[in-house]
């Protein structure tokens, strides 16, 4: 009988999660997405890439990677969606990173619909990949904005 000890199996295991802070959003409101990703395997993984298919209904206000505002990323479009790509991460065993994205729902983008945001993690050095999605409902009946009070005499 041959026994294989899985602890000595040098594999990387990529994971990704994505959540947002508001299930329902009205035009003009701000939403925050948090993407957590990492390696819960026993092998260091390099050339890690995060691809975030971001809803075109939102305008990006700020992106932070592990609290750093000017982290390197590139953007483009695909099928009318914004694609944000973060490249060249090196993930050691049990290391995790966090990406935080603040965005605002465009005034003309709210049409009583579910808006999905999708992210994927992959690497050129391991075959493992994972994906995550987060959804909010756009509520065109909700009102946001400021209140003006006028004093009359």
């Amino acid at each position: 009988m041959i026994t294989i000890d899985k602890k000595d199996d040098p594999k990387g295991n990529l994971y990704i999660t994505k959540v947002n802070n508001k299930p329902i959003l009205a035009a003009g409101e701000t939403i925050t997405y948090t993407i957590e990703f990492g390696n819960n395997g026993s092998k260091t993984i390099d050339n890690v890439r995060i691809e975030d298919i971001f809803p075109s209904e939102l305008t990006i206000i700020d992106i932070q990677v592990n609290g750093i505002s000017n982290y390197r990323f590139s953007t483009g479009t695909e099928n009318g969606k914004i694609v944000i790509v973060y490249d060249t991460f090196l993930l050691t065993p049990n290391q995790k990173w966090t990406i935080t994205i603040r965005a605002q729902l465009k005034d003309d983008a709210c049409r009583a619909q579910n808006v999905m945001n999708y992210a994927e993690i992959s690497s050129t050095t391991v075959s493992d990949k994972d994906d995550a999605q987060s959804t909010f409902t756009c509520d065109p009946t909700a009102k946001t904005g400021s209140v003006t009070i006028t004093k009359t005499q």
Side-chain angles (χ1 to χ4, degrees):
M1 175 192 258
I2 299 174
T3 303
I4 298 174
D5 184 357
K6 291 285 189 181
K7 292 179 190 170
D8 294 332
D9 187 14
K11 285 191 170 185
N13 185 22
L14 296 173
Y15 72 89
I16 189 168
T17 61
K18 185 169 196 171
V19 296
N20 67 55
N21 68 332
K22 292 185 179 177
I24 299 174
L25 202 61
E29 285 190 317
T30 300
I31 189 168
T32 300
Y33 287 97
T34 302
I35 301 170
E36 185 178 285
F37 64 97
N39 172 14
N40 36 358
S42 60
K43 174 184 176 184
T44 296
I45 305 172
D46 59 0
N47 298 322
V48 175
R49 172 187 173 109
I50 305 296
E51 187 172 293
D52 186 8
I53 309 297
F54 203 77
S56 58
E57 292 88 350
L58 297 169
T59 300
I60 296 170
I61 297 169
D62 181 48
I63 298 175
Q64 293 189 355
V65 179
N66 275 5
I68 301 168
S69 291
N70 60 352
Y71 196 86
R72 184 182 49 222
F73 62 89
S74 59
T75 60
T77 57
E78 178 181 299
N79 298 326
K81 303 277 186 189
I82 302 166
V83 180
I84 308 168
V85 178
Y86 312 86
D87 274 321
T88 64
F89 287 102
L90 175 77
L91 294 174
T92 58
N94 299 311
Q95 183 180 22
K96 71 176 181 179
W97 287 63
T98 302
I99 299 172
T100 305
I101 305 167
R102 285 187 323 119
Q104 184 177 36
L105 183 61
K106 294 176 184 174
D107 287 338
D108 61 346
C110 202
R111 297 178 208 84
Q113 60 185 342
N114 288 335
V115 179
M116 186 181 305
N117 190 338
Y118 174 84
E120 180 180 274
I121 186 170
S122 62
S123 171
T124 59
T125 59
V126 295
S127 60
D128 187 35
K129 65 167 62 172
D130 195 13
D131 59 60
Q133 65 185 22
S134 178
T135 304
F136 70 86
T137 300
C138 186
D139 183 358
T141 63
K143 303 291 183 202
T144 62
S146 59
V147 175
T148 303
I149 299 174
T150 306
K151 181 180 178 183
T152 59
Q153 296 180 336

